[in-house]
Amino acid sequence: MMEEEFEEERGWTGRSTAWEDDTGNQSDGEQDEPMENPEQVLAECLEKFSTSDYIMEPGIFNQLKRYFQAGGSPEQVIDLLSTNYVAYAQMANLMAEWIISAGTNINEVRSMVEASLRDMIIKTFDPKKADTIFSEEGETPAWLTEMIEHPTWRSLVYRLAEEYPDCLMLNFTIKLISDAGYQGEITSISTAAQQIEVFSRMLKTSVCKILSSNDDTMMKNIKDTAEMICHSEHTFVYSQVLLYYLMQEAKGSHLMKRLSQEIVKCAFEQ
């Protein structure tokens, strides 16, 4: 019963409505997207093809498709991609292999490479460019799904999401991480509070932790949860409403009442 209260509400699944126009043909109400200016497309694509290692970018195939549909020259794109191929990633892999061959433990080398790459991403991360990933890919990139399986990259996402809370790509990745079952790692409430699904899972995890804690850790868990809930007005109201219904349950109702009181106390102190 306790866990059922915390099941996320499913939104209504919209159904596309089709109707027949005066000619008897079906229409879905959608209009054709305006054609892109070929000259502008060619200019944009050539600019991207001129950057270092663009051939390694995930969106290369979509850009090539746009380029050729706009009448681009195959010889020009081949020349640009090959001329600007620097092979940074391949050189990094080669250096790592040399270090391993010299006798360094492979896990140590992996940690060195990940740390260097992590620092570089933090230093150069551009939220606007990150948001263009979805427009270029057209769907969730496969590499993003693979990336969140590794603790190192999940921690990087948490840090970047704290620094760039308005980045759509990072917020979407946070939801992917939560959907994958790693919501217990999301300790930054400012990150989770922006998405009700993520916050709900965090709240559920925290309440279950309180219910299963012993006398030594119970008060600490209650205070930590109260501080998390008091992050914003909407998380405060949302949590208090849920706790009100949980108090009606026989099991653990006294703990839910104690948590609710601690939340009010924490809110007054703020």
Side-chain angles (χ1 to χ4, degrees):
M1 288 291 294
M2 189 67 67
E3 293 198 0
E4 290 179 0
E5 296 290 346
F6 278 84
E7 289 295 327
E8 292 80 20
E9 295 183 358
R10 301 293 182 185
W12 291 100
T13 303
R15 290 185 293 179
S16 57
T17 303
W19 61 87
E20 292 187 359
D21 56 24
D22 294 338
T23 61
N25 297 323
Q26 283 194 332
S27 171
D28 58 3
E30 295 182 356
Q31 297 180 350
D32 293 336
E33 295 183 359
M35 294 292 292
E36 293 185 288
N37 185 329
E39 293 183 359
Q40 182 179 354
V41 171
L42 290 175
E44 292 176 358
C45 291
L46 291 175
E47 182 181 359
K48 292 180 179 180
F49 297 154
S50 300
T51 58
S52 299
D53 278 346
Y54 191 78
I55 195 172
M56 303 296 295
E57 292 293 328
I60 179 64
F61 295 111
N62 286 338
Q63 294 304 320
L64 285 173
K65 181 179 179 180
R66 292 180 66 221
Y67 176 76
F68 289 127
Q69 286 178 341
S73 167
E75 292 79 9
Q76 187 175 13
V77 68
I78 292 173
D79 179 63
L80 284 174
L81 291 176
S82 58
T83 301
N84 293 285
Y85 178 62
V86 185
Y88 287 125
Q90 287 70 22
M91 286 191 290
N93 289 334
L94 180 60
M95 288 295 298
E97 291 178 3
W98 285 351
I99 296 174
I100 293 172
S101 299
T104 306
N105 183 274
I106 185 173
N107 292 325
E108 184 178 348
V109 175
R110 181 182 293 111
S111 298
M112 291 168 53
V113 174
E114 289 179 349
S116 298
L117 184 57
R118 187 175 186 270
D119 292 341
M120 186 181 300
I121 293 174
I122 292 173
K123 183 179 179 180
T124 61
F125 184 80
D126 186 338
K128 292 183 179 180
K129 288 185 178 180
D131 287 344
T132 63
I133 290 174
F134 297 103
S135 59
E136 291 184 356
E137 293 278 328
E139 58 184 6
T140 304
W143 58 264
L144 185 60
T145 306
E146 295 176 3
M147 188 180 77
I148 65 173
E149 297 177 359
H150 301 277
T152 300
W153 306 125
R154 291 199 301 271
S155 65
L156 174 62
V157 171
Y158 303 148
R159 175 169 175 175
L160 291 174
E162 187 74 10
E163 188 172 351
Y164 304 101
D166 297 326
C167 179
L168 299 178
M169 176 266 187
L170 292 174
N171 286 327
F172 178 77
T173 306
I174 289 292
K175 187 176 184 304
L176 284 182
I177 292 173
S178 178
D179 291 343
Y182 300 110
Q183 66 271 6
E185 294 180 354
I186 307 175
T187 56
S188 170
I189 184 57
S190 60
T191 299
Q194 299 184 50
Q195 302 185 61
I196 191 63
E197 300 96 334
V198 179
F199 178 77
S200 295
R201 294 190 184 105
M202 285 184 65
L203 182 58
K204 175 182 176 181
T205 301
S206 298
V207 169
C208 291
K209 189 175 181 180
I210 291 172
L211 293 174
S212 60
S213 59
N214 54 41
D215 295 337
D216 297 330
T217 60
M218 185 177 297
M219 281 309 302
K220 180 182 183 303
N221 292 335
I222 288 177
K223 289 183 177 180
D224 290 345
T225 303
E227 291 178 1
M228 176 189 77
I229 290 172
C230 289
H231 172 75
S232 63
E233 293 179 357
H234 67 273
T235 55
F236 174 88
V237 174
Y238 175 75
S239 302
Q240 287 288 49
V241 171
L242 284 177
L243 290 175
Y244 171 79
Y245 285 102
L246 290 177
M247 290 178 202
Q248 314 308 314
E249 300 290 333
K251 181 180 178 182
S253 58
H254 65 290
L255 292 177
M256 297 301 99
K257 184 176 181 179
R258 181 68 186 88
L259 174 58
S260 178
Q261 293 170 343
E262 189 66 31
I263 293 170
V264 175
K265 177 183 176 182
C266 182
F268 274 114
E269 291 176 350
Q270 293 182 359

